[in-house]
Amino acid sequence: GYTSEEVSGKNKWERNKKLLEKSIEENPNDPYLYYNLGKVHYLTKNYVDAINMFNKAMKFNIDYNLEYVQDLVITYGYSLLSLQKYEEALAILKYEPYYKNFADYYFLIGLIEMNIGNFEEAINNFKKSIGKTEKIIGTSSYLSYYNIGVIFEVLGDYGQALSYYEKCGTYIPASKRISEILKSGKIKKQIQDFIERGDLVKAKYLLNIIENYLKDDPEIYSIKAVIFMVENKLIEARMTLQQGLQLFSNDQDLLFNLEYLNSIEKTSD
């Protein structure tokens, strides 16, 4: 059943809908009325009727610079997105000349492209959102950074994912993704893969990103020392291992790598 507040809310929306339908009968050439009726349908999750009303509003010769028309275009796009009509939703690309300074517009395009799987286009549009005027809080900052991070994570580029999640500040979903990536061990695995392939630039780039998060992880000292050994920086390798062993005196990997370092130095003598 419904609570009295839910019933009251449903009655309010129904009343608004009937009033707007009556107004449209009396003024069938007012696009603002179709927009408002579309908004009522959208807010009550009746997306099919919302799209129908927005389409009717957009058939009129309307000024796309008006504030309500900006909202009409954005809400029309979100209605199509909610029904997974992604290709159809891309039709709002034609309104770009009107909304070049509007974060919500580029953010919406980014979401549509992301759902289609056009990740490069999605990233470009989320980047275009950054710093622009926003109505929906976060579209010009942390929400765009977060979605770029999600795309990079899906693509397996955990370094880029972390760097974008970091830009989200205190946004909780981003903090959770950082925690999940670090817990999974995937980024450490990537670093080891890069070391084995001899791509030390990428290995060090990733290590630099995760170092601050994993200060209490002895494996970080081992990885760092191995990179120094590959670079033939044996003094730096020894110092790193000794620093690690001061904190984690019984860690088997650190002890093994120190023995290995000793054997390398004996061979080179």
Side-chain angles (χ1 to χ4, degrees):
Y2 294 103
T3 65
S4 58
E5 284 164 3
E6 285 172 323
V7 169
S8 167
K10 281 168 83 80
N11 290 342
K12 186 190 82 171
W13 290 120
E14 201 56 43
R15 190 168 61 250
N16 288 351
K17 194 172 79 149
K18 281 177 180 166
L19 285 169
L20 284 163
E21 285 169 345
K22 190 171 186 302
S23 297
I24 286 169
E25 277 178 35
E26 293 165 5
N27 303 284
N29 296 316
D30 186 346
Y32 186 64
L33 292 173
Y34 291 104
Y35 155 72
N36 275 309
L37 183 53
K39 278 293 274 194
V40 169
H41 285 307
Y42 176 77
L43 292 168
T44 52
K45 298 185 171 25
N46 186 359
Y47 302 120
V48 172
D49 287 338
I51 290 163
N52 187 28
M53 288 302 119
F54 294 142
N55 273 324
K56 284 184 178 179
M58 287 189 283
K59 279 178 182 163
F60 292 93
N61 184 21
I62 51 178
D63 181 355
Y64 282 91
N65 293 304
L66 291 173
E67 195 170 342
Y68 94 82
V69 181
Q70 289 177 0
D71 188 60
L72 187 160
V73 170
I74 296 297
T75 315
Y76 173 66
Y78 274 109
S79 299
L80 289 164
L81 196 60
S82 296
L83 294 176
Q84 300 181 345
K85 295 188 174 186
Y86 307 127
E87 298 291 345
E88 209 175 314
L90 279 179
I92 69 165
L93 279 168
K94 65 186 174 190
Y95 302 114
E96 186 177 8
Y98 302 101
Y99 305 130
K100 283 186 172 173
N101 299 312
F102 197 29
D104 300 46
Y105 173 78
Y106 286 113
F107 183 80
L108 173 58
I109 297 291
L111 287 179
I112 296 164
E113 296 283 18
M114 189 177 176
N115 277 283
I116 291 171
N118 296 338
F119 292 140
E120 195 175 336
E121 280 302 312
I123 289 169
N124 288 340
N125 279 284
F126 289 132
K127 283 181 177 176
K128 283 180 188 176
S129 303
I130 306 299
K132 289 188 167 63
T133 305
E134 65 178 21
K135 287 267 178 68
I136 301 167
I137 293 167
T139 54
S140 71
S141 55
Y142 63 89
L143 290 178
S144 288
Y145 288 133
Y146 178 74
N147 280 313
I148 295 171
V150 168
I151 290 170
F152 279 121
E153 188 178 350
V154 166
L155 294 173
D157 190 338
Y158 301 111
Q160 286 276 50
L162 282 177
S163 67
Y164 277 97
Y165 289 145
E166 280 178 354
K167 291 175 193 281
C168 297
T170 56
Y171 186 50
I172 290 168
S175 301
K176 283 183 177 171
R177 291 309 321 137
I178 290 170
S179 179
E180 285 300 314
I181 289 173
L182 294 172
K183 268 189 214 164
S184 72
K186 287 175 183 173
I187 202 156
K188 284 188 199 167
K189 173 77 169 63
Q190 270 195 342
I191 294 170
Q192 283 158 353
D193 288 345
F194 285 134
I195 293 170
E196 283 169 21
R197 280 190 245 151
D199 195 341
L200 299 186
V201 173
K202 284 183 182 169
K204 285 196 277 191
Y205 163 73
L206 288 179
L207 184 61
N208 192 44
I209 290 172
I210 65 167
E211 222 176 329
N212 289 330
Y213 290 106
L214 300 173
K215 284 177 180 168
D216 296 328
D217 187 341
E219 199 174 350
I220 294 301
Y221 291 92
S222 278
I223 292 169
K224 211 171 175 181
V226 167
I227 291 171
F228 281 133
M229 283 189 254
V230 173
E231 292 176 320
N232 204 31
K233 294 178 179 175
L234 303 185
I235 294 167
E236 290 89 338
R238 181 172 293 281
M239 284 171 62
T240 302
L241 290 168
Q242 285 170 344
Q243 283 170 0
L245 284 164
Q246 279 174 359
L247 297 168
F248 314 100
S249 56
N250 297 317
D251 184 77
Q252 293 303 305
D253 283 341
L254 288 169
L255 292 166
F256 173 82
N257 283 316
L258 187 59
E259 280 300 310
Y260 181 65
L261 177 60
N262 289 336
S263 70
I264 291 173
E265 287 177 334
K266 276 179 191 169
T267 308
S268 60
D269 289 345

